[in-house]
Amino acid sequence: MWFTARNKISTAFRLKHRLGISGNRRPPRGRGALSSSKLFVGSFLLLTLAGTVGLKVIPGLYQEQSLTWHEAAFTATSAVCVTGLIVVDTATYFTWEGQAFLLLLIQLGGLGMLTLTSMVITALGGRPSLRAESATATVRPAMPYIPPRKLIISVVKFTILFEAIGAILLYAIWSPQMGWSEAIWPAVFHSVSAFCNAGFSTNSNSLVDFQHSPATLLAISFLVVTGGLGFVTMEEFSERLWRKKRARRLSVHTSLVIVTTIVLLLGGWFLFALFEWRGCMASMPLVDKLSNSLFMSVTSRTAGFNSIDYGAASDSSNFLTILLMMIGGSPGSTAGGMKTTTFALLGLVAWSRLRSRPTVTFADRSIPEETIQHSVGLTVIYTAIVMIGILLITSIGDLLGDHGTLLPRMFEVVSAFNTVGLSMGLTDTLSPISRWILIGLMFVGRTGPLAVAAALVVRRAGNTTYRLAYEDVNVG
């Protein structure tokens, strides 16, 4: 035992010496976390402000009159935060130049999300700490470390590749009906919007006109799913498929993302088909029923496109959509929500407690308690913000004499905070103050988790070496 501990300590010392790390050096308390949080929030805030001002001052963006300031702020926030909620019709209100400006905001917001979240994930899980390495020789990093410059270049290549594939697919599907030249812009716009999970469309009714085109719905679904899986997951897949040398097994992170995504897609597909088979899809042929119910399962988790009218859907479908919107996509992706891994970890925690297991396990690995606590805390924060948002929107509507029902308001708040973009037709009827609340929800829903994760990167290194005395509390 003495020799083993001595060898581990000496290994850690040699590693610190090679990296040039002093044993007495500590990061300045709070400075790193503050700057990282400011970088995340500030970049999206500046882009949103630039988009708002651009929508007001750049000429030639509109068919007729320009947007008001609160409409411009709402539209810019929705584009940068890749949400998709709109207060004016993108197809008829904007010129080609206006649509191109919105697409630029969507692309920058989506690229920024992929880059920043991927950096945070690799910083949190890319390398075990020196203390952990000195304690055990079997610690395996959550995923391979990628240098920031290489990561940014890879994210850009990854994004361009899939958006190009999507645009070619959509162009091939639409050009026979739209015309060879007229199909170019819609194909490019929808490919970028779908991959970024933005939900903006050059059609007034989103994709309702394509509900009888299974090829269109499948192509859009492919883009939405790949954009929602996350760069880290796709990068690990590419290493496993294309590199000649033998790749290591899939990380627990990637395995959990894939399994949870498949379960949610198949489960949502079955339930939406069950709820709407004799509902809003009653008049559709069998193939269209299957393709539209699958599309509803895909788009509910932050994509924002719709091939059916959610205002005409059943309450069961709309409530299921709310649940899927809360879950969202996967970490390191363009999607919002509390993320598939958070949802999966909550289920694993419940399963381990029911089996009286002291640790949470998946794929023959134990999940660190710190990660479990983080997922629980994130869920509590998300739920609290959504509840407050519903209360605000509902109370403001009632005070202004708009006595609407609860479900559309809940739907709108969850869609905004989780950056989905689906609506039951309530967005353009809201008062300006309610729209400002949705703006805040969209921005916080997009940047809040990033700021928390960025702070964790530094705070992990500066953990205190003491704790206060335990004292129990009765629960249940």
Side-chain angles (χ1 to χ4, degrees):
M1 292 293 293
W2 182 80
F3 288 106
T4 303
R6 180 181 177 184
N7 290 336
K8 290 175 180 177
I9 295 172
S10 62
T11 300
F13 178 81
R14 287 196 301 269
L15 180 59
K16 292 167 70 175
H17 178 72
R18 290 178 184 176
L19 295 176
I21 301 175
S22 171
N24 297 324
R25 184 183 301 174
R26 290 195 175 196
R29 183 170 297 180
R31 287 179 55 189
L34 184 62
S35 62
S36 299
S37 301
K38 283 185 176 181
L39 171 64
F40 287 156
V41 178
S43 61
F44 280 91
L45 179 60
L46 287 176
L47 186 56
T48 301
L49 292 176
T52 302
V53 174
L55 288 173
K56 285 295 295 181
V57 304
I58 297 177
L61 299 183
Y62 307 104
Q63 299 284 1
E64 296 178 4
Q65 63 190 31
S66 63
L67 296 172
T68 63
W69 276 107
H70 85 268
E71 290 173 337
F74 190 99
T75 304
T77 305
S78 183
V80 171
C81 297
V82 292
T83 303
L85 289 175
I86 56 174
V87 290
V88 295
D89 184 8
T90 307
T92 59
Y93 203 92
F94 292 94
T95 61
W96 179 86
E97 291 80 4
Q99 293 176 2
F101 184 72
L102 285 180
L103 194 64
L104 176 63
L105 294 178
I106 292 170
Q107 185 70 91
L108 293 176
L111 273 175
M113 181 56 51
L114 276 174
T115 303
L116 294 177
T117 51
S118 299
M119 283 184 175
V120 169
I121 288 174
T122 53
L124 283 172
R127 293 176 176 175
S129 65
L130 293 176
R131 180 177 298 177
E133 285 184 320
S134 65
T136 175
T138 60
V139 172
R140 179 174 177 264
M143 56 205 63
Y145 174 77
I146 306 174
R149 182 177 178 181
K150 181 182 178 182
L151 185 144
I152 293 173
I153 295 174
S154 298
V155 165
V156 173
K157 290 180 179 178
F158 168 79
T159 302
I160 294 175
L161 173 63
F162 279 93
E163 288 177 351
I165 293 173
I168 293 172
L169 288 175
L170 292 175
Y171 178 76
I173 296 169
W174 291 345
S175 55
Q177 291 78 28
M178 294 184 181
W180 302 107
S181 59
E182 288 78 4
I184 296 176
W185 177 242
V188 172
F189 189 98
H190 284 86
S191 179
V192 174
S193 182
F195 181 79
C196 292
N197 281 219
F200 279 86
S201 175
T202 55
N203 304 316
S204 297
N205 56 4
S206 190
L207 298 178
V208 174
D209 291 340
F210 298 99
Q211 63 183 204
H212 300 293
S213 174
T216 296
L217 299 183
L218 289 176
I220 296 290
S221 297
F222 163 76
L223 290 166
V224 170
V225 171
T226 52
L229 283 177
F231 167 76
V232 174
T233 299
M234 297 302 296
E235 175 72 9
E236 193 168 350
F237 262 122
S238 65
E239 286 186 359
R240 193 176 183 86
L241 290 176
W242 303 113
R243 293 194 176 181
K244 294 182 180 180
K245 63 181 182 180
R246 185 179 179 182
R248 65 175 193 168
R249 71 172 182 84
L250 289 177
S251 65
V252 173
H253 169 83
T254 296
S255 300
L256 195 61
V257 165
I258 298 300
V259 171
T260 308
T261 300
I262 292 174
V263 170
L264 290 174
L265 287 178
L266 295 180
W269 187 8
F270 171 77
L271 291 176
F272 280 124
L274 177 65
F275 296 151
E276 299 301 334
W277 198 266
R278 296 184 179 180
C280 63
M281 295 188 294
S283 61
M284 296 182 184
L286 176 62
V287 175
D288 291 343
K289 285 182 178 179
L290 294 175
S291 61
N292 279 271
S293 55
L294 173 62
F295 188 75
M296 290 177 70
S297 180
V298 171
T299 194
S300 295
R301 292 189 301 110
T302 83
F305 295 103
N306 64 287
S307 61
I308 59 104
D309 181 9
Y310 280 88
S314 64
D315 288 347
S316 301
S317 291
N318 287 327
F319 189 71
L320 175 60
T321 302
I322 289 175
L323 296 178
L324 292 175
M325 288 193 295
M326 283 291 292
I327 297 171
S330 301
S333 72
T334 57
M338 65 181 182
K339 301 298 184 289
T340 54
T341 49
T342 302
F343 171 74
L345 287 177
L346 293 177
L348 291 173
V349 169
W351 180 243
S352 66
R353 297 299 182 262
L354 289 174
R355 300 171 66 192
S356 300
R357 296 289 180 85
T359 59
V360 177
T361 60
F362 180 79
D364 297 326
R365 292 291 187 272
S366 295
I367 309 298
E369 185 64 25
E370 183 181 6
T371 303
I372 300 299
Q373 295 301 325
H374 178 63
S375 64
V376 173
L378 189 64
T379 304
V380 172
I381 294 173
Y382 262 68
T383 305
I385 294 176
V386 167
M387 294 298 104
I388 293 172
I390 293 172
L391 178 61
L392 289 175
I393 295 295
T394 302
S395 58
I396 290 171
D398 291 343
L399 290 174
L400 295 178
D402 178 21
H403 299 290
T405 57
L406 176 63
L407 186 61
R409 293 168 173 175
M410 181 187 299
F411 197 100
E412 199 80 12
V413 170
V414 174
S415 179
F417 181 66
N418 296 283
T419 66
V420 180
L422 292 175
S423 176
M424 295 178 65
L426 188 66
T427 310
D428 55 356
T429 65
L430 292 173
S431 63
I433 187 171
S434 295
R435 291 179 180 177
W436 280 111
I437 292 174
L438 292 185
I439 290 173
L441 287 171
M442 286 188 288
F443 191 82
V444 172
R446 176 53 72 191
T447 62
L450 285 178
V452 173
L456 283 176
V457 174
V458 173
R459 288 174 186 172
R460 278 191 177 185
N463 287 336
T464 57
T465 57
Y466 66 92
R467 66 167 177 81
L468 300 176
Y470 285 119
E471 183 170 348
D472 208 350
V473 176
N474 293 324
V475 296

